[in-house]
Amino acid sequence: MGFTDTRFDVNLSILFTELPLLERPAAAAAAGFTAVELWWPWVDAPVPEQAELDALRDALNDAGTRLVGLNFYAGQLPGPDRGALSLPGEESEKFRANVPVAVEFARTMGCTALNALYGNRIEGVDPVLQDEVALANLTYAARAADSIGATLLIEALNKPESPLCPIVSAPKAIEIVDKVNAATGLGNAKFLMDLYHLAMNGEDLNEVIDAYADKTGHVQIADNPGRGAPGTTDGPGGATDAEDDRRSGGRPDRPG
């Protein structure tokens, strides 16, 4: 995939977690990073108070860190949930309520990558219905993302740690990416290639990269086992992520 149109960032939802959220951008900057990404920070609030959004925006701007990736509301992360958009009922409604909020926050930060986590299978609910709900929500999110020139990211998790998630391989994630693009006609759905998850699944990383680089919008890296910093076998979650910036014309911020 090369480095000519790639930049590196740190995920503030799984690193510097010994600090309050609003102090993490400065910590990332002190460590040499100028770009960061985040899971949706308010796990119980798909639509938080405007003051909370403003405070996070100020913290990112004051630290000089660019927000280059943001998750839509996905339930309890970290925790038992693996997304919300395929869950009929209240969680799906929370996801849809979050979409315009997340998109507007991303717009004000110049963020052009929005990650939509699918969600677990639910006992007693027809998987076909869950997939129909998911496709409707993903097309809604893709159109909203496109309104600000952003990419909708779809991620494959790993089966050992997420046994109830139906997207636990690169081919399955690509299948969903293709369905969303076919439904919208926009082409702004892309694969989030998390190499840790794919390695945990036993997938051949070289083959995945060769097969799906052209449909990839973001790459996350961490050691397997342990999900530590690249080159280690311990430590907290994935240390470095890399975003394909073909839509936004970025450059590497820091190799890692």
Side-chain angles (χ1 to χ4, degrees):
M1 297 173 70
F3 295 121
T4 58
D5 59 358
T6 305
R7 64 189 178 198
F8 293 86
D9 69 85
V10 63
N11 190 323
L12 295 184
S13 295
I14 50 179
L15 286 179
F16 305 109
T17 55
E18 71 278 8
L19 299 172
L21 174 64
L22 298 183
E23 295 179 20
R24 294 178 205 169
F33 288 94
T34 60
V36 301
E37 66 178 87
L38 283 164
W39 298 342
W40 186 248
W42 301 281
V43 296
D44 297 319
V47 183
E49 296 293 332
Q50 186 61 46
E52 294 185 86
L53 293 162
D54 293 342
L56 178 56
R57 183 183 300 109
D58 289 345
L60 291 163
N61 287 333
D62 290 347
T65 49
R66 289 175 294 146
L67 183 67
V68 298
L70 179 66
N71 281 20
F72 288 111
Y73 169 80
Q76 296 288 329
L77 292 179
D81 298 333
R82 295 294 184 266
L85 63 88
S86 67
L87 281 59
E90 183 180 357
E91 285 301 292
S92 174
E93 292 170 3
K94 288 180 179 178
F95 175 82
R96 292 183 75 89
N98 173 252
V99 167
V101 178
V103 167
E104 174 60 14
F105 186 78
R107 183 194 67 78
T108 65
M109 298 301 305
C111 174
T112 58
L114 292 159
N115 185 24
L117 287 170
Y118 203 85
N120 289 326
R121 289 300 192 208
I122 307 170
E123 185 176 357
V125 180
D126 187 349
V128 173
L129 172 61
Q130 294 177 57
D131 291 340
E132 290 173 352
V133 170
L135 183 59
N137 283 335
L138 285 167
T139 55
Y140 172 64
R143 292 187 178 107
D146 185 70
S147 72
I148 63 167
T151 297
L152 177 75
L153 297 171
I154 296 171
E155 180 177 7
L157 303 182
N158 74 76
K159 192 170 184 64
E161 294 176 325
S162 302
L164 299 180
C165 179
I167 305 181
V168 288
S169 73
K172 183 62 177 180
I174 293 296
E175 176 188 324
I176 303 300
V177 166
D178 290 343
K179 285 182 178 180
V180 174
N181 285 332
T184 65
L186 297 172
N188 71 323
K190 296 283 186 178
F191 178 36
L192 193 164
M193 185 187 292
D194 187 313
L195 298 180
Y196 166 75
H197 287 309
L198 301 181
M200 283 284 289
N201 285 328
E203 298 180 67
D204 186 307
L205 300 186
N206 289 326
E207 290 182 2
V208 170
I209 292 168
D210 288 343
Y212 303 125
D214 63 335
K215 294 186 177 183
T216 297
H218 193 88
V219 176
Q220 295 179 335
I221 57 177
D223 263 6
N224 176 43
R227 208 178 187 185
T232 71
T233 57
D234 54 14
T240 309
D241 303 324
E243 179 183 12
D244 181 328
D245 279 331
R246 283 170 288 189
R247 288 178 65 92
S248 57
R251 58 174 178 78
D253 288 301
R254 172 176 175 168

